[in-house]
mmCIF file of all heavy atoms in Angstrom:
data_model
loop_
_atom_site.group_PDB
_atom_site.id
_atom_site.type_symbol
_atom_site.label_atom_id
_atom_site.label_comp_id
_atom_site.label_asym_id
_atom_site.label_seq_id
_atom_site.Cartn_x
_atom_site.Cartn_y
_atom_site.Cartn_z
ATOM 1 N N ILE W 1 107.839 53.947 79.863
ATOM 2 C CA ILE W 1 107.140 53.417 81.091
ATOM 3 C C ILE W 1 107.680 54.186 82.241
ATOM 4 O O ILE W 1 108.836 54.309 82.449
ATOM 5 C CB ILE W 1 107.630 51.866 81.332
ATOM 6 C CG1 ILE W 1 107.407 51.131 80.022
ATOM 7 C CG2 ILE W 1 106.770 51.340 82.408
ATOM 8 C CD1 ILE W 1 105.942 50.830 79.556
ATOM 9 N N THR W 2 106.675 54.833 82.980
ATOM 10 C CA THR W 2 106.830 55.420 84.297
ATOM 11 C C THR W 2 106.760 54.256 85.355
ATOM 12 O O THR W 2 105.899 53.475 85.334
ATOM 13 C CB THR W 2 105.808 56.400 84.583
ATOM 14 O OG1 THR W 2 105.889 57.393 83.549
ATOM 15 C CG2 THR W 2 106.065 57.100 85.929
ATOM 16 N N HIS W 3 108.001 54.084 86.141
ATOM 17 C CA HIS W 3 107.889 53.109 87.119
ATOM 18 C C HIS W 3 107.676 53.777 88.500
ATOM 19 O O HIS W 3 108.552 54.703 88.871
ATOM 20 C CB HIS W 3 109.378 52.282 87.088
ATOM 21 C CG HIS W 3 109.520 51.562 85.984
ATOM 22 N ND1 HIS W 3 109.319 50.111 85.930
ATOM 23 C CD2 HIS W 3 109.944 51.915 84.602
ATOM 24 C CE1 HIS W 3 109.524 49.626 84.704
ATOM 25 N NE2 HIS W 3 109.916 50.652 83.912
ATOM 26 N N LEU W 4 106.756 53.408 89.237
ATOM 27 C CA LEU W 4 106.492 53.873 90.596
ATOM 28 C C LEU W 4 107.159 52.937 91.613
ATOM 29 O O LEU W 4 107.323 51.792 91.329
ATOM 30 C CB LEU W 4 105.026 53.954 90.877
ATOM 31 C CG LEU W 4 104.157 54.845 89.944
ATOM 32 C CD1 LEU W 4 102.778 54.895 90.294
ATOM 33 C CD2 LEU W 4 104.867 56.428 89.909
ATOM 34 N N PRO W 5 107.568 53.394 92.831
ATOM 35 C CA PRO W 5 108.340 52.682 93.703
ATOM 36 C C PRO W 5 107.466 51.611 94.443
ATOM 37 O O PRO W 5 108.040 50.722 95.141
ATOM 38 C CB PRO W 5 109.085 53.617 94.556
ATOM 39 C CG PRO W 5 108.135 54.792 94.600
ATOM 40 C CD PRO W 5 107.621 54.797 93.188
ATOM 41 N N ASP W 6 106.220 52.016 94.639
ATOM 42 C CA ASP W 6 105.373 51.203 95.622
ATOM 43 C C ASP W 6 104.467 50.136 94.824
ATOM 44 O O ASP W 6 104.329 50.329 93.684
ATOM 45 C CB ASP W 6 104.470 52.160 96.415
ATOM 46 C CG ASP W 6 105.322 53.072 97.233
ATOM 47 O OD1 ASP W 6 106.396 52.617 97.788
ATOM 48 O OD2 ASP W 6 104.936 54.283 97.293
ATOM 49 N N SER W 7 103.888 49.261 95.530
ATOM 50 C CA SER W 7 102.852 48.321 94.973
ATOM 51 C C SER W 7 101.546 48.632 95.468
ATOM 52 O O SER W 7 101.246 49.095 96.596
ATOM 53 C CB SER W 7 103.226 46.899 95.554
ATOM 54 O OG SER W 7 102.187 45.904 95.139
ATOM 55 N N TYR W 8 100.595 48.505 94.558
ATOM 56 C CA TYR W 8 99.200 48.965 94.784
ATOM 57 C C TYR W 8 98.064 47.845 94.725
ATOM 58 O O TYR W 8 97.033 47.984 94.509
ATOM 59 C CB TYR W 8 98.866 50.043 93.869
ATOM 60 C CG TYR W 8 99.518 51.406 94.023
ATOM 61 C CD1 TYR W 8 100.846 51.567 93.531
ATOM 62 C CD2 TYR W 8 98.875 52.423 94.955
ATOM 63 C CE1 TYR W 8 101.455 52.790 93.766
ATOM 64 C CE2 TYR W 8 99.635 53.595 95.139
ATOM 65 C CZ TYR W 8 100.939 53.722 94.579
ATOM 66 O OH TYR W 8 101.583 54.957 94.787
ATOM 67 N N ASP W 9 98.665 46.513 94.879
ATOM 68 C CA ASP W 9 97.889 45.487 94.838
ATOM 69 C C ASP W 9 96.831 45.434 93.622
ATOM 70 O O ASP W 9 95.725 45.164 93.749
ATOM 71 C CB ASP W 9 97.076 45.378 96.124
ATOM 72 C CG ASP W 9 96.310 44.037 96.392
ATOM 73 O OD1 ASP W 9 96.892 42.986 95.815
ATOM 74 O OD2 ASP W 9 95.325 44.016 97.053
ATOM 75 N N CYS W 10 97.562 45.643 92.493
ATOM 76 C CA CYS W 10 96.670 45.740 91.227
ATOM 77 C C CYS W 10 96.237 44.360 90.814
ATOM 78 O O CYS W 10 96.695 43.343 91.052
ATOM 79 C CB CYS W 10 97.563 46.296 90.148
ATOM 80 S SG CYS W 10 97.957 48.096 90.496
ATOM 81 N N ASP W 11 95.008 44.363 90.048
ATOM 82 C CA ASP W 11 94.535 43.155 89.500
ATOM 83 C C ASP W 11 94.768 43.136 87.997
ATOM 84 O O ASP W 11 94.391 42.071 87.414
ATOM 85 C CB ASP W 11 93.083 43.020 89.908
ATOM 86 C CG ASP W 11 92.151 44.138 89.581
ATOM 87 O OD1 ASP W 11 92.586 44.997 88.586
ATOM 88 O OD2 ASP W 11 91.095 44.459 90.159
ATOM 89 N N VAL W 12 95.279 44.213 87.487
ATOM 90 C CA VAL W 12 95.733 44.164 86.035
ATOM 91 C C VAL W 12 97.037 44.579 85.980
ATOM 92 O O VAL W 12 97.637 45.527 86.618
ATOM 93 C CB VAL W 12 94.851 45.189 85.140
ATOM 94 C CG1 VAL W 12 95.292 45.112 83.679
ATOM 95 C CG2 VAL W 12 93.296 44.946 85.236
ATOM 96 N N VAL W 13 97.970 43.773 85.221
ATOM 97 C CA VAL W 13 99.356 44.121 85.193
ATOM 98 C C VAL W 13 99.878 44.339 83.676
ATOM 99 O O VAL W 13 99.153 43.911 82.766
ATOM 100 C CB VAL W 13 100.182 42.926 85.798
ATOM 101 C CG1 VAL W 13 99.936 42.751 87.224
ATOM 102 C CG2 VAL W 13 100.058 41.651 85.006
ATOM 103 N N PHE W 14 100.895 45.129 83.683
ATOM 104 C CA PHE W 14 101.534 45.318 82.281
ATOM 105 C C PHE W 14 102.216 43.882 81.831
ATOM 106 O O PHE W 14 102.721 43.252 82.695
ATOM 107 C CB PHE W 14 102.577 46.449 82.327
ATOM 108 C CG PHE W 14 103.073 46.822 81.107
ATOM 109 C CD1 PHE W 14 102.235 47.954 80.421
ATOM 110 C CD2 PHE W 14 104.324 46.554 80.546
ATOM 111 C CE1 PHE W 14 102.754 48.233 79.112
ATOM 112 C CE2 PHE W 14 104.618 46.916 79.354
ATOM 113 C CZ PHE W 14 103.878 47.843 78.605
ATOM 114 N N PRO W 15 102.138 43.678 80.543
ATOM 115 C CA PRO W 15 102.618 42.409 80.153
ATOM 116 C C PRO W 15 104.168 42.315 80.271
ATOM 117 O O PRO W 15 104.936 43.427 80.436
ATOM 118 C CB PRO W 15 102.248 42.291 78.650
ATOM 119 C CG PRO W 15 102.007 43.745 78.166
ATOM 120 C CD PRO W 15 101.478 44.447 79.529
ATOM 121 N N GLN W 16 104.784 41.149 80.419
ATOM 122 C CA GLN W 16 106.150 41.009 80.589
ATOM 123 C C GLN W 16 106.808 41.528 79.265
ATOM 124 O O GLN W 16 106.404 41.278 78.197
ATOM 125 C CB GLN W 16 106.500 39.528 80.663
ATOM 126 C CG GLN W 16 108.023 39.154 80.883
ATOM 127 C CD GLN W 16 108.257 37.785 81.177
ATOM 128 O OE1 GLN W 16 107.404 36.954 81.207
ATOM 129 N NE2 GLN W 16 109.570 37.424 81.349
ATOM 130 N N ILE W 17 107.875 42.248 79.481
ATOM 131 C CA ILE W 17 108.570 42.879 78.390
ATOM 132 C C ILE W 17 109.708 41.792 77.970
ATOM 133 O O ILE W 17 110.445 41.437 78.588
ATOM 134 C CB ILE W 17 109.372 44.175 78.760
ATOM 135 C CG1 ILE W 17 108.244 45.269 79.338
ATOM 136 C CG2 ILE W 17 110.151 44.775 77.735
ATOM 137 C CD1 ILE W 17 108.901 46.478 79.959
ATOM 138 N N PRO W 18 109.544 41.491 76.631
ATOM 139 C CA PRO W 18 110.375 40.432 76.188
ATOM 140 C C PRO W 18 111.925 40.924 76.180
ATOM 141 O O PRO W 18 112.253 41.957 75.524
ATOM 142 C CB PRO W 18 109.924 40.139 74.802
ATOM 143 C CG PRO W 18 108.528 40.621 74.671
ATOM 144 C CD PRO W 18 108.460 41.808 75.725
ATOM 145 N N PRO W 19 112.781 40.310 76.852
ATOM 146 C CA PRO W 19 114.141 40.737 76.982
ATOM 147 C C PRO W 19 114.977 40.758 75.804
ATOM 148 O O PRO W 19 115.894 41.442 75.622
ATOM 149 C CB PRO W 19 114.722 39.981 78.186
ATOM 150 C CG PRO W 19 113.881 38.645 78.075
ATOM 151 C CD PRO W 19 112.548 39.042 77.824
ATOM 152 N N ASN W 20 114.561 39.743 74.833
ATOM 153 C CA ASN W 20 115.297 39.678 73.680
ATOM 154 C C ASN W 20 114.704 40.643 72.547
ATOM 155 O O ASN W 20 115.144 40.708 71.455
ATOM 156 C CB ASN W 20 115.187 38.214 73.137
ATOM 157 C CG ASN W 20 113.846 37.824 72.904
ATOM 158 O OD1 ASN W 20 112.869 38.383 73.489
ATOM 159 N ND2 ASN W 20 113.576 36.845 72.063
ATOM 160 N N MET W 21 113.652 41.300 72.860
ATOM 161 C CA MET W 21 113.062 42.261 71.933
ATOM 162 C C MET W 21 113.323 43.749 72.231
ATOM 163 O O MET W 21 113.343 44.558 71.375
ATOM 164 C CB MET W 21 111.508 41.931 71.909
ATOM 165 C CG MET W 21 110.871 42.652 70.842
ATOM 166 S SD MET W 21 109.035 42.174 70.792
ATOM 167 C CE MET W 21 109.184 40.555 70.501
ATOM 168 N N TYR W 22 113.468 44.124 73.566
ATOM 169 C CA TYR W 22 113.671 45.581 73.930
ATOM 170 C C TYR W 22 114.914 45.650 74.793
ATOM 171 O O TYR W 22 115.146 44.795 75.699
ATOM 172 C CB TYR W 22 112.320 45.937 74.616
ATOM 173 C CG TYR W 22 111.120 46.099 73.822
ATOM 174 C CD1 TYR W 22 110.289 45.048 73.718
ATOM 175 C CD2 TYR W 22 110.854 47.200 72.996
ATOM 176 C CE1 TYR W 22 109.151 45.017 72.957
ATOM 177 C CE2 TYR W 22 109.725 47.221 72.295
ATOM 178 C CZ TYR W 22 108.884 46.122 72.198
ATOM 179 O OH TYR W 22 107.695 46.235 71.447
ATOM 180 N N ASN W 23 115.586 46.731 74.554
ATOM 181 C CA ASN W 23 116.619 47.263 75.548
ATOM 182 C C ASN W 23 116.057 48.478 76.233
ATOM 183 O O ASN W 23 115.174 49.109 75.814
ATOM 184 C CB ASN W 23 117.841 47.581 74.829
ATOM 185 C CG ASN W 23 118.516 46.424 74.129
ATOM 186 O OD1 ASN W 23 118.564 45.375 74.588
ATOM 187 N ND2 ASN W 23 118.836 46.584 72.808
ATOM 188 N N ASN W 24 116.630 48.767 77.307
ATOM 189 C CA ASN W 24 116.102 50.056 78.117
ATOM 190 C C ASN W 24 117.141 50.894 78.641
ATOM 191 O O ASN W 24 118.289 50.484 78.876
ATOM 192 C CB ASN W 24 115.139 49.603 79.222
ATOM 193 C CG ASN W 24 115.953 49.093 80.401
ATOM 194 O OD1 ASN W 24 116.422 49.870 81.267
ATOM 195 N ND2 ASN W 24 116.091 47.731 80.576
ATOM 196 N N VAL W 25 116.896 52.099 78.777
ATOM 197 C CA VAL W 25 117.787 53.152 79.364
ATOM 198 C C VAL W 25 116.818 54.108 80.152
ATOM 199 O O VAL W 25 115.804 54.450 79.749
ATOM 200 C CB VAL W 25 118.403 53.959 78.226
ATOM 201 C CG1 VAL W 25 117.457 54.668 77.358
ATOM 202 C CG2 VAL W 25 119.371 54.957 78.621
ATOM 203 N N ILE W 26 117.410 54.608 81.289
ATOM 204 C CA ILE W 26 116.694 55.467 82.194
ATOM 205 C C ILE W 26 116.716 56.867 81.539
ATOM 206 O O ILE W 26 117.736 57.410 81.258
ATOM 207 C CB ILE W 26 117.156 55.446 83.563
ATOM 208 C CG1 ILE W 26 117.016 54.128 84.189
ATOM 209 C CG2 ILE W 26 116.505 56.627 84.504
ATOM 210 C CD1 ILE W 26 117.653 54.048 85.724
ATOM 211 N N LEU W 27 115.440 57.410 81.403
ATOM 212 C CA LEU W 27 115.319 58.804 80.881
ATOM 213 C C LEU W 27 115.331 59.854 81.883
ATOM 214 O O LEU W 27 115.941 60.996 81.630
ATOM 215 C CB LEU W 27 114.082 58.957 79.911
ATOM 216 C CG LEU W 27 113.870 58.267 78.631
ATOM 217 C CD1 LEU W 27 112.527 58.515 78.072
ATOM 218 C CD2 LEU W 27 114.986 58.489 77.630
ATOM 219 N N TYR W 28 114.739 59.572 83.085
ATOM 220 C CA TYR W 28 114.494 60.788 83.816
ATOM 221 C C TYR W 28 114.205 60.017 85.253
ATOM 222 O O TYR W 28 113.412 59.057 85.422
ATOM 223 C CB TYR W 28 113.210 61.311 83.460
ATOM 224 C CG TYR W 28 112.771 62.519 84.345
ATOM 225 C CD1 TYR W 28 113.452 63.614 84.590
ATOM 226 C CD2 TYR W 28 111.457 62.354 84.885
ATOM 227 C CE1 TYR W 28 112.906 64.624 85.429
ATOM 228 C CE2 TYR W 28 110.975 63.347 85.810
ATOM 229 C CZ TYR W 28 111.774 64.432 85.947
ATOM 230 O OH TYR W 28 111.206 65.462 86.782
ATOM 231 N N ARG W 29 114.662 60.671 86.347
ATOM 232 C CA ARG W 29 114.322 60.344 87.751
ATOM 233 C C ARG W 29 113.751 61.636 88.420
ATOM 234 O O ARG W 29 114.333 62.680 88.213
ATOM 235 C CB ARG W 29 115.601 59.887 88.503
ATOM 236 C CG ARG W 29 116.220 58.514 88.018
ATOM 237 C CD ARG W 29 117.395 58.273 88.904
ATOM 238 N NE ARG W 29 118.238 57.131 88.416
ATOM 239 C CZ ARG W 29 118.078 56.099 88.889
ATOM 240 N NH1 ARG W 29 117.284 55.667 89.769
ATOM 241 N NH2 ARG W 29 118.944 55.055 88.435
ATOM 242 N N HIS W 30 112.711 61.525 89.065
ATOM 243 C CA HIS W 30 112.011 62.613 89.799
ATOM 244 C C HIS W 30 112.409 62.341 91.322
ATOM 245 O O HIS W 30 111.902 61.558 91.814
ATOM 246 C CB HIS W 30 110.586 62.682 89.473
ATOM 247 C CG HIS W 30 110.108 64.015 89.938
ATOM 248 N ND1 HIS W 30 109.853 64.423 91.237
ATOM 249 C CD2 HIS W 30 109.590 64.987 89.126
ATOM 250 C CE1 HIS W 30 109.365 65.663 91.217
ATOM 251 N NE2 HIS W 30 109.158 66.117 90.138
ATOM 252 N N PRO W 31 113.179 63.281 91.846
ATOM 253 C CA PRO W 31 113.467 63.126 93.386
ATOM 254 C C PRO W 31 112.381 63.305 94.351
ATOM 255 O O PRO W 31 112.306 62.560 95.236
ATOM 256 C CB PRO W 31 114.529 64.232 93.492
ATOM 257 C CG PRO W 31 114.288 65.175 92.460
ATOM 258 C CD PRO W 31 113.848 64.586 91.360
ATOM 259 N N LYS W 32 111.412 64.163 94.062
ATOM 260 C CA LYS W 32 110.210 64.427 94.907
ATOM 261 C C LYS W 32 109.244 63.244 94.875
ATOM 262 O O LYS W 32 108.925 62.692 95.998
ATOM 263 C CB LYS W 32 109.566 65.617 94.476
ATOM 264 C CG LYS W 32 108.342 65.901 95.514
ATOM 265 C CD LYS W 32 107.629 67.294 94.988
ATOM 266 C CE LYS W 32 106.439 67.600 95.912
ATOM 267 N NZ LYS W 32 105.648 68.743 95.530
ATOM 268 N N TYR W 33 108.823 62.839 93.710
ATOM 269 C CA TYR W 33 107.924 61.800 93.598
ATOM 270 C C TYR W 33 108.451 60.269 93.499
ATOM 271 O O TYR W 33 107.863 59.268 93.470
ATOM 272 C CB TYR W 33 107.031 62.005 92.298
ATOM 273 C CG TYR W 33 106.128 63.205 92.524
ATOM 274 C CD1 TYR W 33 106.590 64.352 91.845
ATOM 275 C CD2 TYR W 33 105.008 63.265 93.268
ATOM 276 C CE1 TYR W 33 105.696 65.491 91.993
ATOM 277 C CE2 TYR W 33 104.400 64.395 93.520
ATOM 278 C CZ TYR W 33 104.532 65.537 92.744
ATOM 279 O OH TYR W 33 103.969 66.604 92.966
ATOM 280 N N ASP W 34 109.810 60.214 93.542
ATOM 281 C CA ASP W 34 110.483 58.945 93.583
ATOM 282 C C ASP W 34 110.106 57.995 92.450
ATOM 283 O O ASP W 34 109.566 56.886 92.740
ATOM 284 C CB ASP W 34 110.208 58.271 94.857
ATOM 285 C CG ASP W 34 111.317 57.006 95.114
ATOM 286 O OD1 ASP W 34 112.301 57.108 94.412
ATOM 287 O OD2 ASP W 34 110.958 56.241 95.926
#
């Protein structure tokens, strides 16, 4: 999942990620595009 820092007033959202099903780790940060 690429996470963008801003909100775009979307009318479709990604489903809630079940916390008991998935763990996460940050792969990459892009300084220019934040």
Side-chain angles (χ1 to χ4, degrees):
I1 311 294
T2 300
H3 291 266
L4 302 179
D6 299 319
S7 173
Y8 291 84
D9 192 27
C10 292
D11 53 26
V12 182
V13 298
F14 193 81
Q16 182 176 359
I17 300 172
N20 60 336
M21 192 176 292
Y22 293 95
N23 298 315
N24 76 82
V25 59
I26 296 175
L27 290 182
Y28 174 70
R29 294 178 188 265
H30 195 289
K32 179 179 178 181
Y33 294 105
D34 193 22

